[in-house]
Amino acid sequence: MRILIIEDEKKIAGFIKRGLKEEGYAVDSAYDGEEGYRLIAENDYDLIILDIMLPTCDGITLCRRLREEGTTIPVLMLTAKDSVQDKVTGLDSGADDYLTKPFAFEELLARIRALLRKSVKQTTKLQAGDLVLDLITHRVTRAGEEIALTTREYALLEYLMRNAGTVVTRTMISEHVWDIDFDTDTNVIDVYINYLRNKIDSRFQKKLINTVRGRGYLLKD
């Protein structure tokens, strides 16, 4: 899943970005409203973390602008403003949730998970055949046997399972599993698909991860 942080305090943005990447998310950062708007127009994000007090275009204005243009990406507002009226203004502008600074990182993660679940489907687990992925604990099992994955492998598997039965291209994978600095000319995606196959499919007769020649990959029960 790919997240955009729009936060002008670089120390805070860096802290959030580092923590989210450790959890397996692909993360981009913008330090003012207009830069954030440009990145949203150019890339495909699953969630936006948006500060209210921003240079060039404040968070309230940016959120309203996105909603007026039909953008449905979940928005989590992150701000030092904590009055009831500030929260009402933020939510009325189109934000899906509101978290005040300072905050516990675990709470931020919980709110992100809740928004992502709501935006896709009301579930805490993804399943394809006997393969089960727990979105809360990040535990992956097949036929009841636990499979240890790295954060990047988990992120790739989650994306494949969210799109089970649908062919996903390398471009689609790079947009959701890697960040803006990803080099699309490398074979990194193919390498990680092979890592997953070795862990998910190699010991089982039925193969779940399939290559669709000339198009991409398909996770199919």
Side-chain angles (χ1 to χ4, degrees):
M1 306 296 277
R2 191 172 181 183
I3 295 175
L4 174 63
I5 303 167
I6 309 177
E7 165 64 70
D8 64 325
E9 294 186 51
K10 293 187 177 181
K11 186 175 181 180
I12 294 176
F15 166 74
I16 297 171
K17 183 173 184 177
R18 183 172 60 254
L20 292 180
K21 291 184 80 169
E22 288 173 354
E23 292 294 317
Y25 295 104
V27 188
D28 297 332
S29 300
Y31 304 111
D32 64 66
E34 288 301 330
E35 181 187 10
Y37 181 75
R38 177 181 60 79
L39 288 176
I40 293 166
E42 294 175 353
N43 301 285
D44 191 4
Y45 293 105
D46 299 290
L47 184 137
I48 299 166
I49 298 175
L50 177 63
D51 188 33
I52 285 184
M53 304 297 291
L54 292 169
T56 69
C57 177
D58 66 85
I60 297 292
T61 301
L62 177 56
C63 192
R64 282 185 179 141
R65 184 178 179 184
L66 293 172
R67 296 309 188 219
E68 288 170 359
E69 293 176 354
T71 301
T72 58
I73 304 169
V75 173
L76 171 59
M77 280 196 169
L78 193 65
T79 179
K81 293 189 170 187
D82 60 356
S83 73
V84 172
Q85 187 54 51
D86 289 326
K87 294 178 181 179
V88 170
T89 301
L91 294 170
D92 282 348
S93 72
D96 298 273
D97 200 359
Y98 195 109
L99 185 61
T100 56
K101 306 172 188 174
F103 58 88
F105 189 71
E106 284 300 313
E107 182 178 2
L108 175 65
L109 286 177
R111 288 173 182 260
I112 288 172
R113 288 194 297 265
L115 288 175
L116 291 175
R117 286 198 304 271
K118 187 182 296 185
S119 68
V120 181
K121 58 175 73 174
Q122 293 289 345
T123 183
T124 59
K125 292 183 179 180
L126 302 175
Q127 184 165 356
D130 57 358
L131 178 66
V132 180
L133 182 149
D134 191 310
L135 294 167
I136 305 299
T137 64
H138 287 196
R139 185 171 179 260
V140 176
T141 61
R142 183 162 186 192
E145 179 183 340
E146 187 163 359
I147 299 170
L149 300 178
T150 66
T151 54
R152 187 67 70 190
E153 290 166 353
Y154 174 89
L156 177 55
L157 180 61
E158 180 186 346
Y159 184 67
L160 291 174
M161 292 187 73
R162 285 188 183 276
N163 293 277
T166 302
V167 177
V168 292
T169 66
R170 289 173 178 79
T171 299
M172 292 165 66
I173 293 172
S174 68
E175 286 179 343
H176 286 270
V177 182
W178 274 266
D179 59 31
I180 199 170
D181 298 318
F182 179 69
D183 183 358
T184 55
D185 292 329
T186 70
N187 68 338
V188 169
I189 291 174
D190 303 301
V191 169
Y192 272 88
I193 288 288
N194 285 332
Y195 289 161
L196 276 184
R197 280 187 169 134
N198 288 334
K199 293 183 177 183
I200 301 297
D201 281 340
S202 62
R203 291 176 289 107
F204 296 89
Q205 182 176 359
K206 188 169 186 177
K207 309 306 179 187
L208 298 178
I209 302 173
N210 301 275
T211 299
V212 181
R213 191 172 300 278
R215 296 182 63 194
Y217 299 100
L218 171 68
L219 190 145
K220 185 177 180 181
D221 177 15

mmCIF file of all heavy atoms in Angstrom, residues 77-105:
data_model
loop_
_atom_site.group_PDB
_atom_site.id
_atom_site.type_symbol
_atom_site.label_atom_id
_atom_site.label_comp_id
_atom_site.label_asym_id
_atom_site.label_seq_id
_atom_site.Cartn_x
_atom_site.Cartn_y
_atom_site.Cartn_z
ATOM 1 N N MET A 77 -6.071 13.678 8.537
ATOM 2 C CA MET A 77 -5.492 14.972 8.880
ATOM 3 C C MET A 77 -4.684 14.854 10.162
ATOM 4 O O MET A 77 -5.134 14.258 11.150
ATOM 5 C CB MET A 77 -6.581 16.033 9.034
ATOM 6 C CG MET A 77 -7.057 16.571 7.708
ATOM 7 S SD MET A 77 -7.980 18.107 7.854
ATOM 8 C CE MET A 77 -8.067 18.571 6.121
ATOM 9 N N LEU A 78 -3.483 15.428 10.126
ATOM 10 C CA LEU A 78 -2.560 15.372 11.247
ATOM 11 C C LEU A 78 -2.158 16.805 11.571
ATOM 12 O O LEU A 78 -1.553 17.479 10.747
ATOM 13 C CB LEU A 78 -1.335 14.556 10.842
ATOM 14 C CG LEU A 78 -0.371 14.116 11.919
ATOM 15 C CD1 LEU A 78 -1.032 13.139 12.875
ATOM 16 C CD2 LEU A 78 0.863 13.485 11.286
ATOM 17 N N THR A 79 -2.536 17.280 12.764
ATOM 18 C CA THR A 79 -2.326 18.696 13.050
ATOM 19 C C THR A 79 -2.239 18.974 14.541
ATOM 20 O O THR A 79 -2.687 18.161 15.365
ATOM 21 C CB THR A 79 -3.468 19.529 12.441
ATOM 22 O OG1 THR A 79 -3.266 20.895 12.751
ATOM 23 C CG2 THR A 79 -4.807 19.083 12.981
ATOM 24 N N ALA A 80 -1.675 20.121 14.875
ATOM 25 C CA ALA A 80 -1.576 20.548 16.272
ATOM 26 C C ALA A 80 -2.869 21.198 16.745
ATOM 27 O O ALA A 80 -3.068 21.412 17.938
ATOM 28 C CB ALA A 80 -0.409 21.517 16.435
ATOM 29 N N LYS A 81 -3.774 21.532 15.828
ATOM 30 C CA LYS A 81 -5.039 22.165 16.190
ATOM 31 C C LYS A 81 -5.987 21.113 16.761
ATOM 32 O O LYS A 81 -6.328 20.155 16.080
ATOM 33 C CB LYS A 81 -5.669 22.842 14.982
ATOM 34 C CG LYS A 81 -4.862 24.037 14.470
ATOM 35 C CD LYS A 81 -5.656 24.791 13.427
ATOM 36 C CE LYS A 81 -4.999 26.121 13.083
ATOM 37 N NZ LYS A 81 -5.850 26.939 12.203
ATOM 38 N N ASP A 82 -6.413 21.306 18.013
ATOM 39 C CA ASP A 82 -7.190 20.244 18.648
ATOM 40 C C ASP A 82 -8.546 20.691 19.187
ATOM 41 O O ASP A 82 -9.182 19.956 19.936
ATOM 42 C CB ASP A 82 -6.385 19.621 19.788
ATOM 43 C CG ASP A 82 -6.008 20.627 20.867
ATOM 44 O OD1 ASP A 82 -6.308 21.818 20.694
ATOM 45 O OD2 ASP A 82 -5.421 20.207 21.881
ATOM 46 N N SER A 83 -9.013 21.891 18.821
ATOM 47 C CA SER A 83 -10.333 22.302 19.284
ATOM 48 C C SER A 83 -11.415 21.545 18.517
ATOM 49 O O SER A 83 -11.177 21.028 17.418
ATOM 50 C CB SER A 83 -10.535 23.809 19.087
ATOM 51 O OG SER A 83 -10.713 24.112 17.713
ATOM 52 N N VAL A 84 -12.595 21.473 19.102
ATOM 53 C CA VAL A 84 -13.712 20.792 18.448
ATOM 54 C C VAL A 84 -14.002 21.417 17.088
ATOM 55 O O VAL A 84 -14.225 20.711 16.090
ATOM 56 C CB VAL A 84 -14.966 20.827 19.345
ATOM 57 C CG1 VAL A 84 -16.169 20.292 18.586
ATOM 58 C CG2 VAL A 84 -14.738 20.020 20.613
ATOM 59 N N GLN A 85 -13.987 22.756 17.031
ATOM 60 C CA GLN A 85 -14.283 23.434 15.770
ATOM 61 C C GLN A 85 -13.249 23.118 14.694
ATOM 62 O O GLN A 85 -13.578 22.955 13.518
ATOM 63 C CB GLN A 85 -14.356 24.955 15.981
ATOM 64 C CG GLN A 85 -14.838 25.718 14.749
ATOM 65 C CD GLN A 85 -16.177 25.196 14.225
ATOM 66 O OE1 GLN A 85 -17.146 25.062 14.972
ATOM 67 N NE2 GLN A 85 -16.230 24.867 12.941
ATOM 68 N N ASP A 86 -11.971 23.025 15.100
ATOM 69 C CA ASP A 86 -10.925 22.669 14.146
ATOM 70 C C ASP A 86 -11.174 21.274 13.570
ATOM 71 O O ASP A 86 -11.020 21.043 12.365
ATOM 72 C CB ASP A 86 -9.550 22.705 14.817
ATOM 73 C CG ASP A 86 -9.095 24.117 15.132
ATOM 74 O OD1 ASP A 86 -9.421 25.028 14.350
ATOM 75 O OD2 ASP A 86 -8.402 24.308 16.154
ATOM 76 N N LYS A 87 -11.575 20.335 14.438
ATOM 77 C CA LYS A 87 -11.857 18.973 13.978
ATOM 78 C C LYS A 87 -13.062 18.953 13.041
ATOM 79 O O LYS A 87 -13.041 18.278 12.011
ATOM 80 C CB LYS A 87 -12.113 18.055 15.177
ATOM 81 C CG LYS A 87 -10.885 17.852 16.058
ATOM 82 C CD LYS A 87 -11.210 16.972 17.254
ATOM 83 C CE LYS A 87 -9.993 16.797 18.137
ATOM 84 N NZ LYS A 87 -10.270 15.967 19.332
ATOM 85 N N VAL A 88 -14.086 19.707 13.394
ATOM 86 C CA VAL A 88 -15.282 19.778 12.543
ATOM 87 C C VAL A 88 -14.925 20.351 11.179
ATOM 88 O O VAL A 88 -15.353 19.839 10.134
ATOM 89 C CB VAL A 88 -16.381 20.626 13.217
ATOM 90 C CG1 VAL A 88 -17.518 20.912 12.235
ATOM 91 C CG2 VAL A 88 -16.924 19.915 14.446
ATOM 92 N N THR A 89 -14.111 21.421 11.171
ATOM 93 C CA THR A 89 -13.706 22.040 9.907
ATOM 94 C C THR A 89 -12.924 21.052 9.049
ATOM 95 O O THR A 89 -13.144 20.945 7.838
ATOM 96 C CB THR A 89 -12.850 23.292 10.173
ATOM 97 O OG1 THR A 89 -13.603 24.226 10.949
ATOM 98 C CG2 THR A 89 -12.423 23.947 8.861
ATOM 99 N N GLY A 90 -12.013 20.323 9.684
ATOM 100 C CA GLY A 90 -11.220 19.345 8.945
ATOM 101 C C GLY A 90 -12.074 18.239 8.349
ATOM 102 O O GLY A 90 -11.927 17.885 7.177
ATOM 103 N N LEU A 91 -12.982 17.707 9.148
ATOM 104 C CA LEU A 91 -13.839 16.624 8.654
ATOM 105 C C LEU A 91 -14.818 17.121 7.594
ATOM 106 O O LEU A 91 -15.091 16.431 6.613
ATOM 107 C CB LEU A 91 -14.592 15.986 9.822
ATOM 108 C CG LEU A 91 -13.707 15.251 10.845
ATOM 109 C CD1 LEU A 91 -14.510 14.864 12.074
ATOM 110 C CD2 LEU A 91 -13.078 14.011 10.222
ATOM 111 N N ASP A 92 -15.322 18.336 7.772
ATOM 112 C CA ASP A 92 -16.249 18.903 6.783
ATOM 113 C C ASP A 92 -15.559 19.214 5.460
ATOM 114 O O ASP A 92 -16.220 19.289 4.423
ATOM 115 C CB ASP A 92 -16.903 20.179 7.335
ATOM 116 C CG ASP A 92 -18.028 19.881 8.315
ATOM 117 O OD1 ASP A 92 -18.449 18.713 8.388
ATOM 118 O OD2 ASP A 92 -18.481 20.824 9.000
ATOM 119 N N SER A 93 -14.255 19.386 5.493
ATOM 120 C CA SER A 93 -13.524 19.661 4.253
ATOM 121 C C SER A 93 -13.351 18.398 3.413
ATOM 122 O O SER A 93 -12.940 18.464 2.256
ATOM 123 C CB SER A 93 -12.151 20.265 4.558
ATOM 124 O OG SER A 93 -11.271 19.292 5.110
ATOM 125 N N GLY A 94 -13.656 17.239 4.029
ATOM 126 C CA GLY A 94 -13.560 15.977 3.288
ATOM 127 C C GLY A 94 -12.611 14.969 3.882
ATOM 128 O O GLY A 94 -12.439 13.880 3.330
ATOM 129 N N ALA A 95 -11.975 15.315 5.017
ATOM 130 C CA ALA A 95 -11.074 14.360 5.657
ATOM 131 C C ALA A 95 -11.863 13.187 6.219
ATOM 132 O O ALA A 95 -13.026 13.325 6.610
ATOM 133 C CB ALA A 95 -10.283 15.044 6.770
ATOM 134 N N ASP A 96 -11.217 12.017 6.261
ATOM 135 C CA ASP A 96 -11.863 10.813 6.782
ATOM 136 C C ASP A 96 -11.576 10.592 8.260
ATOM 137 O O ASP A 96 -12.323 9.900 8.943
ATOM 138 C CB ASP A 96 -11.398 9.591 5.984
ATOM 139 C CG ASP A 96 -11.784 9.694 4.520
ATOM 140 O OD1 ASP A 96 -12.895 9.285 4.179
ATOM 141 O OD2 ASP A 96 -10.967 10.205 3.729
ATOM 142 N N ASP A 97 -10.482 11.159 8.739
ATOM 143 C CA ASP A 97 -10.131 11.037 10.147
ATOM 144 C C ASP A 97 -9.216 12.198 10.516
ATOM 145 O O ASP A 97 -8.695 12.903 9.646
ATOM 146 C CB ASP A 97 -9.431 9.693 10.417
ATOM 147 C CG ASP A 97 -9.472 9.289 11.886
ATOM 148 O OD1 ASP A 97 -10.016 10.055 12.706
ATOM 149 O OD2 ASP A 97 -8.947 8.204 12.202
ATOM 150 N N TYR A 98 -9.007 12.384 11.824
ATOM 151 C CA TYR A 98 -8.318 13.567 12.334
ATOM 152 C C TYR A 98 -7.512 13.138 13.553
ATOM 153 O O TYR A 98 -8.069 12.597 14.500
ATOM 154 C CB TYR A 98 -9.377 14.608 12.719
ATOM 155 C CG TYR A 98 -8.888 16.019 12.950
ATOM 156 C CD1 TYR A 98 -9.196 17.025 12.051
ATOM 157 C CD2 TYR A 98 -8.167 16.343 14.087
ATOM 158 C CE1 TYR A 98 -8.789 18.340 12.257
ATOM 159 C CE2 TYR A 98 -7.746 17.648 14.311
ATOM 160 C CZ TYR A 98 -8.057 18.637 13.403
ATOM 161 O OH TYR A 98 -7.646 19.925 13.627
ATOM 162 N N LEU A 99 -6.198 13.372 13.544
ATOM 163 C CA LEU A 99 -5.329 13.006 14.655
ATOM 164 C C LEU A 99 -4.488 14.218 15.043
ATOM 165 O O LEU A 99 -3.872 14.854 14.186
ATOM 166 C CB LEU A 99 -4.418 11.845 14.261
ATOM 167 C CG LEU A 99 -3.507 11.250 15.339
ATOM 168 C CD1 LEU A 99 -4.341 10.685 16.482
ATOM 169 C CD2 LEU A 99 -2.630 10.154 14.735
ATOM 170 N N THR A 100 -4.471 14.553 16.327
ATOM 171 C CA THR A 100 -3.746 15.738 16.779
ATOM 172 C C THR A 100 -2.341 15.384 17.263
ATOM 173 O O THR A 100 -2.087 14.292 17.765
ATOM 174 C CB THR A 100 -4.504 16.442 17.919
ATOM 175 O OG1 THR A 100 -4.729 15.516 18.985
ATOM 176 C CG2 THR A 100 -5.835 16.982 17.425
ATOM 177 N N LYS A 101 -1.436 16.336 17.085
ATOM 178 C CA LYS A 101 -0.067 16.211 17.588
ATOM 179 C C LYS A 101 -0.028 16.730 19.027
ATOM 180 O O LYS A 101 -0.717 17.700 19.329
ATOM 181 C CB LYS A 101 0.890 17.049 16.736
ATOM 182 C CG LYS A 101 0.861 16.773 15.252
ATOM 183 C CD LYS A 101 1.713 17.810 14.533
ATOM 184 C CE LYS A 101 1.581 17.711 13.037
ATOM 185 N NZ LYS A 101 2.303 18.798 12.338
ATOM 186 N N PRO A 102 0.817 16.142 19.870
ATOM 187 C CA PRO A 102 1.633 14.936 19.626
ATOM 188 C C PRO A 102 0.760 13.685 19.646
ATOM 189 O O PRO A 102 -0.332 13.682 20.208
ATOM 190 C CB PRO A 102 2.604 14.948 20.809
ATOM 191 C CG PRO A 102 1.859 15.631 21.901
ATOM 192 C CD PRO A 102 1.016 16.680 21.231
ATOM 193 N N PHE A 103 1.240 12.633 19.017
ATOM 194 C CA PHE A 103 0.454 11.416 18.902
ATOM 195 C C PHE A 103 1.346 10.207 19.143
ATOM 196 O O PHE A 103 2.568 10.271 18.979
ATOM 197 C CB PHE A 103 -0.182 11.319 17.511
ATOM 198 C CG PHE A 103 0.841 11.344 16.406
ATOM 199 C CD1 PHE A 103 1.433 10.179 15.952
ATOM 200 C CD2 PHE A 103 1.217 12.550 15.833
ATOM 201 C CE1 PHE A 103 2.388 10.214 14.942
ATOM 202 C CE2 PHE A 103 2.170 12.597 14.823
ATOM 203 C CZ PHE A 103 2.758 11.421 14.380
ATOM 204 N N ALA A 104 0.737 9.112 19.526
ATOM 205 C CA ALA A 104 1.454 7.841 19.651
ATOM 206 C C ALA A 104 1.485 7.183 18.271
ATOM 207 O O ALA A 104 0.454 7.104 17.589
ATOM 208 C CB ALA A 104 0.758 6.936 20.657
ATOM 209 N N PHE A 105 2.651 6.724 17.871
ATOM 210 C CA PHE A 105 2.776 6.142 16.541
ATOM 211 C C PHE A 105 1.867 4.928 16.376
ATOM 212 O O PHE A 105 1.323 4.699 15.293
ATOM 213 C CB PHE A 105 4.232 5.761 16.255
ATOM 214 C CG PHE A 105 4.469 5.361 14.828
ATOM 215 C CD1 PHE A 105 4.444 6.315 13.813
ATOM 216 C CD2 PHE A 105 4.695 4.043 14.488
ATOM 217 C CE1 PHE A 105 4.641 5.954 12.488
ATOM 218 C CE2 PHE A 105 4.900 3.679 13.174
ATOM 219 C CZ PHE A 105 4.871 4.633 12.172
#
